[in-house]
Amino acid sequence: MTFKTSGTRSSMTFECETGNYHTFCPISCVSWLYQKIEDSFFLVIGTKTCGYFLQNAMGVMIFAEPRYAMAELEEGDISAQLNDYEELKRLCIQIKRDRNPSVIFWIGTCTTEIIKMDLEGIAPKLESEISVPIVVARANGLDYAFTQGEDTVLAAMAQRCPRPNKSFQYDNLGSKINHEPLIIFGSLPNIVTKQLTLELERQGVTVSGWLPSSSYSELPNLEEGNFVVGVNPFLSRTATTLMRRRKTKLISAPFPIGPDGTRVWIEKICKVLNIMPTGLEKREVSVWNSLKEYTDLIKGSSVFFMGDNLLEVSLARFLIRAGMIVYEIGIPYMDKRYQKAELDLLKKTCYDMNVLIPKIVEKPDNYNQLDRIRDLKPDLVITGMAHANPLEARNINTKWSVEFTFASIHGFSNSKDILELVTRPLRRNQSLSNLGFI
Amino acid sequence: MKLAYWMYAGPAHIGTLRVASSFKNVHAIMHAPLGDDYFMKSMLERERNFTPVTASVVDRHVLARGSQQKVINNINRKDKEEKPDLFVLTPTCTSSILQEDLKNFVDRAALDTSADVLLADVNHYRVNELQASDRTLMQIISFYLEKEKKINNFDLIKTANPSVNIIGMISLGFHNYHDLSELKRLFFDLNIEINLIIPDSMFVHDIKKIPKAWFNFVPYREVGLLSADYLKQKFDMPFIDIIPMGITQITKMVEAIQQLLFSCGQEVDYSRYIDRQNRFISQSAWFSRSIDCQNLTCKKAVVFGDATHSSAMTRVLSKEMGIKVIWAGTYCLNDAEWFQQEVAYYCDQIVISDDYTLIADLIAKVEPDAIFGTQMERHIGKRLGIPCGVISSPVHIQNFPLSYKPFLGYEGTNQIADLVYNSFTLGMEDHLLEVFGGHDTSQVLSTRLSNDYSFSWTDEAQHELMKIPGFIRSKVKRNTEKFAYDNNYKNISLQVMYAAKEYIA
């Protein structure tokens, strides 16, 4: 079982397989973004396939009158017998009438890519005609996986952040802040953004805004030279846009997932802003202590990430620190620059814990992975729904990866939720282990 | 373009996948972008095996240069790994507009594989999931029968005893597995052998045995009729497509079988069997006479679902239980004519639509006492406070019950009677409660333990507190104040609130 060796693999190995893996289509970002941005409406311009995926992947959410809809393309649209502009205008006017949103997001799909529908060209014209902002994001399965959908939307939104007329080194209450403004990007539930904001406030760091904010009309101001920092590992396009288009400075930090990640995230921010962090070490230790019940349970057991949501490196790093052994980190796409600080922390963590650095497999091949899982017999496989039940039937514990995307996992306070998820199959199987037939 | 929030039937490739994955040892290859392989078999049916579906991923490179060898390589690879008997290649909405010559890929791949390779012949912009499954099933059957014909390797001799093929049992169908058990029992009782169940758990090389059956039976309108038609034309096999749902329809179906066997020179008399089943096995005939059912007389219902279940349910409600069906409808637009004929005498109005907002409006307008529909109607009912019995796809995981719940056959009539009765009594109970002022237990249940702490909450914290759902708010408040007291906080700010949450959690 133990994978520990006296020496450690000192360098990272990256592999790239065939890309035959299961993941959610990136249009799924609609499901959490429409809830986050409360005055928005998301229009997914695609086919029945997109609609089928969304309505099934979102389950019961669909019945709560969501602020999203499909613009379902028909044969006439594909063969250009119908005019895209007129069609979209008709639908958007209807949306404006029925829901009156502050912004309409157009989510481009594979089909709009293939038929080369000029969404970016149509949007500004239509925007001025119906006077509702239209933001275009191409979240399609040709180019992206799952959470990267959010990345395309935020990158498009970054362009819409207002440029202030005057310097705005003041916080919300009008008092002057003592450092260059800091904007955090990444969509998190409101309660988590509040927690992280307070966490930084304790260190004397003022958060000037979040991208996205909970309403479109409150997008944060962005000015050349502002600092930006990401909370999620899949936001590389957004980071690039913020740097290149908006001339902001990116703070390269690991992501605030797990107490270790959260601590280094805050430390990095403080360091860049020339602030001396206080009490962080104590805070991290106390969180780890509160997690003892869970870490005792997982210490020494092994985990295999099949890879589908880009959170894998951060989660693996946290689980290694928590005492687990990671066999493989599958990941759809690896931006080594954007994730550099996270990769460094992974390396350091492995060194500290005296375990091998797991190999990182980009664009994994699920069939090969199942082969490796058969050989390695990990104690836990973090995977999608397609493989979960079949693996359980073969006596391999699984945790459904998508839950990590929808649960609150950021910051000190939510570390417990991650371990709650990770240990659930282990705890369940403890309670079932005496039955003999399972 | 069509503004669509929700749809009753999925895209065509889902139908193809449902058929392909129902066979044993058939592998489906999807020509699709990443994420299109969302197919819910392992989740909804809690399938223990890996779903035999692989995507040949269409990405930017494919857009630039075409799939070239990619599809063929994927097929060849799976041929070695899985050794299936047949590959079914299916395009998706997206990949079908690439207009790649998939037929050519299929032909070329077939040269190197030991498996057969077929291209699903469905137009993604013209047919839906249900129509596609019907077509794909026929395509696979005809492919293998033509193949046998070519090598002249047919054993067309009928079985010694009367026998039947049941056509159209596919994965992810509404209570299909339970229905299948019930049909097996029915044919056993009628002394008819089951030659093949198509395509459920069947090997493709057994397809050549299809003509050995005396006749075909198609229990559902949505899948299997095309195949039955084809078999009638090519092999002169008669078929019966009466849906055995509800007592009168089961009787009709059994009588049709009797007549069919009679025309084959087999004299059977099922009348005593029917009588015995109706009196003693199915409780629903007796239920119709009972006082319970009397109380349902002229209660108002609406029915909506696929053509099979909606039509059969309408008939059961109206003819067997004396319930007034205000309107009955289906989303199977392609089967509208048949549906209209079928339910014309049993409801006031007929609705043919796949727009759920229209259905919701119609339900709200007529305010029925109960709804019988799909999961969507169940949710519409929830919003309107009207009980709903789910009788048709589209489905949730809860429509894959572990317990035995057929809709067809004699046991099915019992299950339907329960469903109907429970839907209405629930509504009745609710109504009575409202008339008499609701449950009076609520007061007692929500005990508020008062405490002696008095804290001032900052506006921000107060605001946050109000966001917490009502049923736990007082508990959160209590715990936070206790925490504040223990830690000597004077007033409660957001910080204190979160610290308390963290401490207690």
Side-chain angles (χ1 to χ4, degrees):
Chain A
M1 175 76 59
T2 48
F3 214 62
K4 287 191 178 185
T5 59
S6 50
T8 50
R9 191 190 288 157
S10 56
S11 65
M12 297 232 163
T13 38
F14 294 93
E15 281 176 22
C16 185
E17 285 190 309
T18 61
N20 272 322
Y21 64 103
H22 284 278
T23 182
F24 272 13
C25 171
I27 57 171
S28 53
C29 66
V30 166
S31 67
W32 65 87
L33 287 175
Y34 92 79
Q35 291 186 46
K36 172 72 193 178
I37 309 167
E38 288 159 10
D39 52 354
S40 63
F41 191 95
F42 284 80
L43 184 66
V44 181
I45 304 162
T47 61
K48 261 192 186 315
T49 305
C50 314
Y52 179 82
F53 163 71
L54 273 182
Q55 84 180 36
N56 286 303
M58 282 200 229
V60 288
M61 250 193 264
I62 233 75
F63 299 105
E65 291 235 358
R67 290 183 318 279
Y68 94 86
M70 293 292 309
E72 192 183 311
L73 300 169
E74 292 167 303
E75 210 165 3
D77 298 300
I78 305 299
S79 52
Q81 284 166 335
L82 297 168
N83 181 307
D84 299 338
Y85 183 84
E86 290 304 325
E87 290 295 297
L88 284 167
K89 184 174 155 190
R90 185 169 56 82
L91 299 193
C92 288
I93 286 175
Q94 193 184 334
I95 291 164
K96 190 185 169 188
R97 195 186 57 219
D98 297 347
R99 308 290 184 97
N100 197 27
S102 315
V103 58
I104 298 176
F105 286 91
W106 285 355
I107 304 295
T109 61
C110 304
T111 309
T112 56
E113 288 297 309
I114 293 173
I115 63 176
K116 301 196 168 33
M117 195 183 280
D118 182 19
L119 298 178
E120 279 93 345
I122 298 174
K125 270 187 248 163
L126 196 55
E127 180 172 313
S128 62
E129 202 173 330
I130 66 169
S131 45
V132 178
I134 296 172
V135 179
V136 181
R138 303 176 178 206
N140 62 69
L142 294 168
D143 302 303
Y144 306 110
F146 195 7
T147 49
Q148 287 181 289
E150 176 182 322
D151 194 22
T152 63
V153 174
L154 297 193
M157 275 176 89
Q159 304 275 45
R160 300 294 184 117
C161 290
R163 290 171 207 272
N165 296 327
K166 55 181 178 53
S167 164
F168 68 105
Q169 297 199 355
Y170 297 90
D171 68 6
N172 301 334
L173 300 171
S175 41
K176 195 167 173 12
I177 55 175
N178 54 4
H179 57 77
E180 189 63 30
L182 169 74
I183 290 94
I184 305 180
F185 59 94
S187 167
L188 293 178
N190 287 345
I191 180 162
V192 183
T193 62
K194 250 185 211 145
Q195 285 167 344
L196 289 176
T197 306
L198 285 177
E199 213 63 75
L200 287 168
E201 246 167 46
R202 269 186 208 173
Q203 304 296 338
V205 175
T206 306
V207 179
S208 299
W210 282 77
L211 174 70
S213 43
S214 58
S215 75
Y216 181 78
S217 42
E218 287 168 15
L219 275 182
N221 286 327
L222 271 184
E223 206 180 5
E224 189 170 337
N226 289 167
F227 283 110
V228 292
V229 67
V231 284
N232 267 323
F234 44 77
L235 297 172
S236 48
R237 276 176 73 88
T238 309
T240 313
T241 308
L242 288 168
M243 285 189 294
R244 297 203 183 140
R245 300 293 187 86
R246 305 304 304 261
K247 310 283 182 228
T248 57
K249 288 182 274 188
L250 177 71
I251 301 175
S252 173
F255 303 99
I257 291 170
D260 50 340
T262 308
R263 177 186 158 188
V264 185
W265 185 71
I266 297 171
E267 278 174 354
K268 283 272 185 140
I269 293 170
C270 289
K271 192 176 160 212
V272 172
L273 300 176
N274 281 322
I275 291 170
M276 186 62 103
T278 53
L280 275 182
E281 201 178 317
K282 222 174 105 192
R283 182 126 171 77
E284 192 194 335
V285 171
S286 84
V287 174
W288 279 116
N289 286 339
S290 74
L291 298 177
K292 194 164 177 315
E293 191 191 331
Y294 296 95
T295 48
D296 283 350
L297 203 58
I298 52 173
K299 199 156 276 170
S301 42
S302 54
V303 57
F304 189 109
F305 286 87
M306 287 188 79
D308 65 355
N309 59 17
L310 283 93
L311 294 171
E312 292 87 1
V313 175
S314 308
L315 289 173
R317 177 260 302 150
F318 166 54
L319 292 182
I320 291 171
R321 179 61 75 181
M324 290 187 96
I325 293 147
V326 177
Y327 285 159
E328 175 166 327
I329 305 176
I331 188 169
Y333 168 74
M334 180 79 235
D335 184 335
K336 287 178 205 159
R337 275 170 59 183
Y338 176 63
Q339 291 220 39
K340 178 165 189 311
E342 184 62 83
L343 289 171
D344 288 345
L345 185 59
L346 171 69
K347 209 159 137 183
K348 180 174 177 298
T349 304
C350 290
Y351 183 79
D352 289 348
M353 303 301 289
N354 195 29
V355 292
L356 290 177
I357 300 176
K359 73 174 175 190
I360 295 174
V361 181
E362 241 187 303
K363 285 168 158 278
D365 184 299
N366 281 169
Y367 185 87
N368 296 345
Q369 284 184 314
L370 290 174
D371 239 10
R372 296 198 285 271
I373 287 169
R374 254 187 297 270
D375 291 344
L376 293 164
K377 294 193 176 46
D379 297 311
L380 180 67
V381 175
I382 296 180
T383 182
M385 215 34 165
H387 297 303
N389 272 335
L391 280 171
E392 289 283 351
R394 284 155 185 75
N395 281 322
I396 302 235
N397 295 327
T398 60
K399 184 76 223 137
W400 188 26
S401 53
V402 172
E403 289 186 62
F404 291 99
T405 327
F406 293 118
S408 300
I409 60 169
H410 292 75
F412 285 122
S413 353
N414 295 312
S415 306
K416 190 174 268 175
D417 294 50
I418 307 177
L419 292 185
E420 183 72 30
L421 287 176
V422 169
T423 56
R424 195 170 296 158
L426 305 171
R427 284 179 287 131
R428 195 266 312 261
N429 291 354
Q430 264 180 356
S431 65
L432 293 182
S433 62
N434 295 328
L435 291 176
F437 54 80
I438 297 172
Chain B
M1 269 179 224
K2 199 168 92 182
L3 195 62
Y5 294 89
W6 200 77
M7 59 194 172
Y8 284 101
H13 71 266
I14 297 292
T16 299
L17 296 182
R18 284 175 62 187
V19 168
S21 67
S22 300
F23 280 100
K24 258 189 195 156
N25 213 28
V26 169
H27 200 96
I29 304 265
M30 298 172 68
H31 189 242
L34 199 63
D36 271 7
D37 54 0
Y38 189 85
F39 175 53
M40 313 215 292
K41 200 168 149 74
S42 69
M43 184 166 156
L44 289 179
E45 292 194 333
R46 304 178 191 91
E47 177 63 57
R48 290 167 199 232
N49 284 318
F50 295 101
T51 308
V53 175
T54 303
S56 174
V57 179
V58 173
D59 57 14
R60 269 294 152 195
H61 300 291
V62 171
L63 284 199
R65 340 168 272 149
S67 285
Q68 292 182 337
Q69 286 292 317
K70 197 168 181 178
V71 175
I72 297 167
N73 290 345
N74 273 313
I75 294 175
N76 287 334
R77 178 181 162 190
K78 282 290 149 197
D79 189 46
K80 291 193 189 75
E81 285 168 358
E82 312 265 334
K83 302 189 177 53
D85 299 319
L86 168 70
F87 282 105
V88 179
L89 175 65
T90 174
T92 56
C93 300
T94 307
S95 73
S96 65
I97 47 177
L98 286 175
Q99 304 203 319
E100 285 198 86
D101 191 357
L102 293 177
K103 183 75 184 61
N104 171 35
F105 293 157
V106 163
D107 293 342
R108 275 167 56 202
L111 295 177
D112 295 328
T113 55
S114 46
D116 296 310
V117 193
L118 267 180
L119 173 65
D121 181 22
V122 287
N123 181 322
H124 281 74
Y125 292 88
R126 294 191 188 165
V127 299
N128 65 25
E129 169 186 355
L130 302 171
Q131 295 161 287
S133 58
D134 203 9
R135 274 158 205 254
T136 306
L137 183 58
M138 185 199 69
Q139 199 192 348
I140 294 175
I141 289 175
S142 64
F143 174 80
Y144 279 99
L145 290 180
E146 302 291 334
K147 196 171 151 185
E148 290 300 320
K149 211 179 211 169
K150 254 181 220 147
I151 49 175
N152 227 343
N153 187 20
F154 259 127
D155 175 12
L156 290 174
I157 300 161
K158 299 286 176 193
T159 55
N161 297 319
S163 61
V164 62
N165 297 317
I166 301 175
I167 305 182
M169 309 308 290
I170 65 172
S171 62
L172 293 175
F174 184 78
H175 293 242
N176 269 17
Y177 284 127
H178 306 298
D179 285 349
L180 181 58
S181 306
E182 198 53 28
L183 290 175
K184 281 182 184 165
R185 185 152 80 177
L186 182 62
F187 284 116
F188 178 81
D189 287 350
L190 299 177
N191 209 9
I192 293 170
E193 282 172 17
I194 291 173
N195 185 50
L196 287 170
I197 292 157
I198 306 167
D200 180 60
S201 302
M202 172 191 185
F203 287 102
V204 284
H205 48 71
D206 285 335
I207 286 176
K208 62 170 183 276
K209 296 184 195 152
I210 289 179
K212 292 181 78 64
W214 289 32
F215 69 103
N216 290 317
F217 174 62
V218 184
Y220 308 113
R221 294 286 303 172
E222 286 72 28
V223 198
L225 277 181
L226 282 179
S227 307
D229 261 335
Y230 166 84
L231 292 166
K232 184 167 170 43
Q233 276 169 31
K234 296 279 171 162
F235 295 88
D236 202 24
M237 295 182 78
F239 70 89
I240 289 171
D241 62 348
I242 299 165
I243 304 153
M245 185 168 152
I247 286 194
T248 50
Q249 286 297 93
I250 301 174
T251 304
K252 210 169 145 199
M253 174 242 192
V254 174
E255 283 170 354
I257 293 174
Q258 181 176 313
Q259 207 164 17
L260 192 145
L261 293 182
F262 189 75
S263 68
C264 303
Q266 192 87 7
E267 286 196 33
V268 284
D269 182 6
Y270 291 134
S271 55
R272 289 189 49 148
Y273 171 75
I274 294 172
D275 188 55
R276 202 174 61 236
Q277 294 290 316
N278 284 353
R279 282 174 195 280
F280 304 113
I281 303 302
S282 166
Q283 300 295 315
S284 82
W286 158 240
F287 172 75
S288 305
R289 298 279 314 190
S290 72
I291 298 301
D292 284 340
C293 193
Q294 205 181 77
N295 283 337
L296 299 182
T297 308
C298 289
K299 285 253 176 290
K300 294 186 293 178
V302 299
V303 184
F304 192 78
D306 62 16
T308 300
H309 292 88
S310 180
S311 66
M313 197 64 193
T314 305
R315 199 187 285 258
V316 169
L317 290 172
S318 160
K319 200 169 169 181
E320 298 178 15
M321 296 181 179
I323 290 160
K324 188 169 177 54
V325 179
I326 304 174
W327 58 259
T330 182
Y331 57 84
C332 296
L333 309 183
N334 57 307
D335 217 6
E337 206 177 314
W338 176 87
F339 183 81
Q340 276 160 340
Q341 282 171 8
E342 200 68 5
V343 300
Y345 294 110
Y346 304 110
C347 61
D348 299 349
Q349 226 191 325
I350 296 169
V351 179
I352 310 288
S353 170
D354 58 357
D355 176 0
Y356 88 87
T357 52
L358 176 81
I359 301 301
D361 289 347
L362 283 174
I363 292 173
K365 205 171 101 190
V366 303
E367 288 185 42
D369 299 305
I371 309 166
F372 297 93
T374 71
Q375 283 294 343
M376 185 38 104
E377 282 68 47
R378 192 171 74 86
H379 283 270
I380 294 168
K382 246 187 201 167
R383 278 221 301 265
L384 298 171
I386 301 170
C388 176
V390 176
I391 54 144
S392 159
S393 299
V395 284
H396 264 183
I397 187 114
Q398 69 207 64
N399 296 116
F400 292 88
L402 302 174
S403 58
Y404 188 51
K405 291 223 161 88
F407 272 74
L408 303 187
Y410 289 107
E411 186 54 36
T413 61
N414 294 336
Q415 138 81 7
I416 292 170
D418 277 344
L419 183 75
V420 171
Y421 187 61
N422 290 343
S423 303
F424 278 111
T425 39
L426 282 179
M428 185 73 113
E429 246 172 63
D430 249 19
H431 181 66
L432 286 175
L433 284 171
E434 213 161 280
V435 169
F436 293 110
H439 285 283
D440 57 357
T441 49
S442 57
Q443 215 67 46
V444 191
L445 284 177
S446 65
T447 47
R448 274 167 194 254
L449 287 176
S450 62
N451 59 38
D452 304 331
Y453 314 125
S454 70
F455 283 96
S456 67
W457 288 60
T458 65
D459 286 352
E460 215 181 357
Q462 189 77 39
H463 189 67
E464 189 69 26
L465 183 68
M466 293 318 284
K467 280 198 231 156
I468 293 164
F471 62 99
I472 50 162
R473 193 181 300 143
S474 59
K475 189 178 166 199
V476 172
K477 184 163 187 264
R478 216 163 50 232
N479 287 339
T480 310
E481 291 184 341
K482 176 159 190 323
F483 174 83
Y485 178 81
D486 292 343
N487 290 279
N488 287 326
Y489 288 112
K490 289 274 168 319
N491 46 23
I492 296 173
S493 64
L494 257 191
Q495 299 243 17
V496 175
M497 223 178 137
Y498 288 138
K501 175 182 178 286
E502 206 174 297
Y503 173 77
I504 292 155

